[in-house]
Amino acid sequence: MAASSRTRLLLKNAHIASLQDNGEPYGLIKGAIAIDNGTIQWAGSEDQLPPDWCQTATDLHICDLGGRLVTPGLIDCHTHLVFAGDRSGEFEQRLNGASYADIARAGGGILATVKATRAASEAELLDLAAARLEAMMAEGVTSVEIKSGYGLDEASEIKMLQVAKRLEESLPVRISRTFLGAHALPPEYAHDRAGYVNWLCQRMIPRIAGEQLADAVDAYCEHIGFTPEETRKIFDAAVRHNLPVKLHADQLSDMRGAALAAEYCGLSADHLEYTSVQGVKAMARAGSVAVLLPYAFYSLGETRKPPVAALRQWQVPMAVATDCNPGTAPNTSLLTCLNMACVLFGLTPEESLNGACTHAARALGREQTCGQIAPGFHADLAVWNVTTPAQLLYWRGASPLYMRIFNGRID
Ligand code: NIG
Ligand code: FE
């Protein structure tokens, strides 16, 4: 590429929460970030700026941030962003006494969204999902994981995954796609659980892997979802096709889901409200990330909290995500979830911010390129109208985003 068409960007006069391990809280650096061609080249104090970044260089775009806070672009590592329909009626039902499980058993819940999502065209789903994604991006999000799981037949599952791909093609954001065929038993298989699991393992997972339609395989292991034995079969098929796994684990009961995900070296186990210390230790040994989803906990009025003290003790990395979905987490605000992770689960602001950056990247297998401000990482950044990370996490309301940078380009 000719030097003149290169995009060299120097962000100066910034408070940088680099999240690098540099001995400072949040990896704080007061100074500048040098970006070339979408990649961070250097971050440090301005008096140590490398010579080729001298501020008189003609090909350099310089941006004075006026002392603002810069963080890595936020990463929402667990969402069900692509869906049609509305489940506010269930919100009413729950407040009139029905439980989430009651509604699911009566054919509502996930299956209500399956019906609406099957009926929607790809273009309709794209419009709906793009609006949600733009709301996330307006709060500094630069990477999002999106699960299938509201199709539950071949064409509809693939339609959802195609929509996720088209979102990445049409908006400045990185998308990781996860196949969640094991989200609920579709009506066609209501009396044939084994047949559905076989179809997932023998038809869908090979196709998903062969056509690279997803980056990982997930399952909902729960008494109203899939059993550990069924989950194991699905994970075996994923492993045979070289797809990493993650798991909705121990959300409503202790199904030993965390340990099951760990047995398969899962990228992550998510929810974890009922996870035991044994499950935590298994995750620590496997290097799996614990993805905490405080909005679902809050929205369902749960009282049992994930074992944060044990996760800390066994040094399991904790991520925080929205779980954006129409049933248990009707919310697109990752910043709200970071605040909730602090207030409801007792994470420190530093743990919480890492939960949407370094550890979220790891939950997606992207820890080498996303989630930190360090040389070699993608220049995906959020610049905020505050100067400290604590300010970012404690106040909720209008988005504090000043500027979003994706792949080295200012939005
Ligand atoms: O992560 N629990 C399973 N999946 C979602 C809920 C989906 C829904 O209710 O539509 C979750 O909480
Ligand atoms: Fe979920």
Side-chain angles (χ1 to χ4, degrees), residues 1 36 60 70 96 121 123 136 155 160 176 195 231 238 252-253 294 319 347 349 354 396 410-411:
M1 192 183 277
D36 191 354
L60 205 55
V70 186
N96 281 299
S121 68
M136 289 177 168
M160 290 185 71
S176 298
T231 304
L252 305 173
S253 59
L347 266 62
N354 267 301
R396 298 300 315 122
I410 298 173
D411 274 2

Side-chain angles (χ1 to χ4, degrees), residues 329-378:
N331 164 55
T332 53
S333 174
L334 184 53
L335 283 178
T336 298
C337 296
L338 298 187
N339 172 279
M340 285 176 151
C342 295
V343 175
L344 298 177
F345 295 165
L347 266 62
T348 66
E350 187 170 3
E351 286 172 329
S352 193
L353 186 60
N354 267 301
C357 297
T358 29
H359 299 159
R362 187 159 160 195
L364 300 178
R366 291 186 185 250
E367 69 275 20
Q368 303 294 332
T369 52
C370 292
Q372 285 182 52
I373 300 176
F377 279 67
H378 290 312

Side-chain angles (χ1 to χ4, degrees), residues 46 57 79 96 109 145 147 177 192 198 212 222 227 280 323 348 352 387 396:
E46 270 162 46
T79 87
N96 281 299
E145 184 257 16
K147 301 176 195 296
R177 296 183 294 171
D192 185 12
N198 279 342
Q212 297 181 346
E222 193 52 70
T227 65
V280 170
D323 195 14
T348 66
S352 193
T387 51
R396 298 300 315 122

Side-chain angles (χ1 to χ4, degrees), residues 8-16 31-35 46 49 53 55 59-68 70 381 383 402-405 408-411:
R8 292 218 303 161
L9 178 62
L10 182 69
L11 303 172
K12 55 179 263 191
N13 194 12
H15 284 98
I16 306 162
I33 305 171
I35 297 166
E46 270 162 46
L49 209 59
W53 288 88
Q55 298 188 33
D59 67 331
L60 205 55
H61 178 66
I62 299 175
C63 198
D64 187 321
L65 297 182
R68 288 182 177 81
V70 186
L381 305 169
V383 184
Y402 172 72
M403 176 197 277
R404 184 180 170 280
I405 296 170
R409 288 183 185 277
I410 298 173
D411 274 2

Side-chain angles (χ1 to χ4, degrees), residues 78 80 87 100 110 113 150 183 220 248 251 271 296 323 325-328:
H78 180 142
H80 307 250
R87 289 185 21 219
Y100 180 67
I110 294 171
T113 302
Y150 289 128
H183 198 193
Y220 182 37
H248 283 72
Q251 181 189 14
H271 287 287
D323 195 14
N325 76 69
T328 61

Side-chain angles (χ1 to χ4, degrees), residues 19-276:
L19 304 182
Q20 285 180 48
D21 195 3
N22 68 357
E24 297 294 324
Y26 304 94
L28 276 174
I29 300 168
K30 202 163 175 296
I33 305 171
I35 297 166
D36 191 354
N37 232 350
T39 304
I40 297 167
Q41 301 295 326
W42 177 88
S45 158
E46 270 162 46
D47 54 15
Q48 286 162 18
L49 209 59
D52 51 330
W53 288 88
C54 108
Q55 298 188 33
T56 51
T58 50
D59 67 331
L60 205 55
H61 178 66
I62 299 175
C63 198
D64 187 321
L65 297 182
R68 288 182 177 81
L69 175 71
V70 186
T71 66
L74 302 184
I75 301 169
D76 195 340
C77 68
H78 180 142
T79 87
H80 307 250
L81 195 75
V82 175
F83 64 86
D86 166 83
R87 289 185 21 219
S88 52
E90 291 181 11
F91 173 67
E92 255 173 347
Q93 276 177 273
R94 286 206 304 273
L95 290 166
N96 281 299
S99 74
Y100 180 67
D102 293 338
I103 294 168
R105 281 194 210 97
I110 294 171
L111 290 183
T113 302
V114 169
K115 204 168 173 196
T117 304
R118 284 181 175 181
S121 68
E122 193 171 311
E124 285 163 349
L125 285 176
L126 185 65
D127 277 356
L128 291 166
R132 297 175 195 125
L133 187 54
E134 279 166 356
M136 289 177 168
M137 291 163 61
E139 280 196 351
V141 169
T142 51
S143 296
V144 178
E145 184 257 16
I146 299 178
K147 301 176 195 296
S148 70
Y150 289 128
L152 311 186
D153 64 30
E154 187 158 352
S156 309
E157 282 293 298
I158 289 180
K159 176 173 69 175
M160 290 185 71
L161 294 168
Q162 298 287 18
V163 169
K165 186 163 183 63
R166 285 185 57 195
L167 287 168
E168 183 168 51
E169 289 161 359
S170 52
L171 291 167
V173 64
R174 291 176 214 284
I175 302 288
S176 298
R177 296 183 294 171
T178 302
F179 177 60
L180 179 57
H183 198 193
L185 202 61
E188 299 76 18
Y189 283 91
H191 303 292
D192 185 12
R193 301 186 64 85
Y196 186 63
V197 173
N198 279 342
W199 175 77
L200 289 175
C201 296
Q202 283 161 24
R203 170 74 191 170
M204 288 306 286
I205 290 175
R207 178 164 181 201
I208 300 284
E211 296 177 28
Q212 297 181 346
L213 294 167
D215 310 291
V217 170
D218 193 351
Y220 182 37
C221 183
E222 193 52 70
H223 54 85
I224 54 167
F226 291 81
T227 65
E229 295 68 36
E230 290 164 342
T231 304
R232 203 177 281 281
K233 285 190 181 144
I234 290 156
F235 281 4
D236 284 335
V239 168
R240 274 199 301 278
H241 290 88
N242 293 321
L243 283 167
V245 302
K246 31 182 62 233
L247 190 63
H248 283 72
D250 309 328
Q251 181 189 14
L252 305 173
S253 59
D254 182 5
M255 305 282 288
R256 300 201 165 83
L260 179 55
E263 202 183 305
Y264 287 81
C265 294
L267 285 171
S268 67
D270 305 33
H271 287 287
L272 305 179
E273 277 79 350
Y274 285 83
T275 297
S276 65

